[in-house]
Amino acid sequence: MVEVTVTPRSSLADRPVEVQVRGLSPSQLVTLRASLTDEQGERFQARAFFRADGAGEVDPERHAALGGSYAGVCPMGLFWFLQPDSLFRRLVKRDVVGSPFLVRLEVFDGLCLVTGPQDQPLASCEVERWYVGPGVQRVPIREGRVRGALFLPP
């Protein structure tokens, strides 16, 4: 049974996570895809192609991506190379305190450049990426023409 795990499942957006896929056949070609939908409903995704090692595992921290959104060893590549489905869109988080970005990671058999509703992943999981840590207080700043926010640690 194929399994994709991300450790930790919930973390700050600037902290690294470990992505691992287990239960594949040795030397099996797979596509790892990360996707999220932003607050405006725009979808962003990144994909990377990997060949499982002799134990049937893929670890982006140790194994090089063969192509896709990036190539080579890049442990956080699936998160760093998220691109919008529509041109000229940027990934922006407006509500940094109230909710995280939910990033879905999926593993597909073979090299999948485009996936449709009929394509079922071998495994998937969801990860929370927060922009503000627990207990951090956001104080809006409005002084004259200055606008901003002050983030105070607990």
Side-chain angles (χ1 to χ4, degrees):
M1 183 171 139
V2 178
E3 176 185 34
V4 59
T5 58
V6 179
T7 309
R9 282 299 258 292
S10 181
S11 65
L12 291 173
D14 64 344
R15 299 291 161 88
V17 294
E18 290 182 23
V19 177
Q20 293 194 332
V21 181
R22 293 184 180 92
L24 300 168
S25 300
S27 300
Q28 181 177 353
L29 281 171
V30 293
T31 300
L32 260 64
R33 180 177 72 181
S35 61
L36 68 83
T37 302
D38 72 5
E39 295 157 334
Q40 283 75 44
E42 185 65 37
R43 186 171 159 180
F44 291 77
Q45 55 183 331
R47 68 186 74 238
F49 312 128
F50 290 93
R51 183 176 299 280
D53 63 13
E57 297 180 354
V58 169
D59 180 354
E61 195 169 312
R62 295 183 297 122
H63 302 123
L66 305 174
S69 301
Y70 68 95
V73 177
C74 188
M76 293 296 294
L78 290 168
F79 296 88
W80 291 344
F81 290 96
L82 288 165
Q83 294 293 315
D85 285 353
S86 303
L87 294 177
F88 309 112
R89 302 293 254 175
R90 290 186 327 165
L91 184 58
V92 176
K93 183 73 171 137
R94 302 254 185 247
D95 180 16
V96 295
V97 176
S99 65
F101 271 139
L102 297 176
V103 181
R104 182 168 180 80
L105 273 85
E106 298 170 303
V107 182
F108 293 93
D109 187 28
L111 304 179
C112 297
L113 295 173
V114 178
T115 51
Q118 74 280 3
D119 296 314
Q120 294 299 314
L122 299 173
S124 65
C125 72
E126 202 165 69
V127 180
E128 292 181 349
R129 303 292 281 170
W130 290 89
Y131 281 78
V132 175
V136 172
Q137 180 185 5
R138 181 183 187 274
V139 180
I141 305 294
R142 298 179 79 92
E143 187 68 37
R145 296 184 346 200
V146 175
R147 302 289 181 266
L150 173 64
F151 293 88
L152 298 171

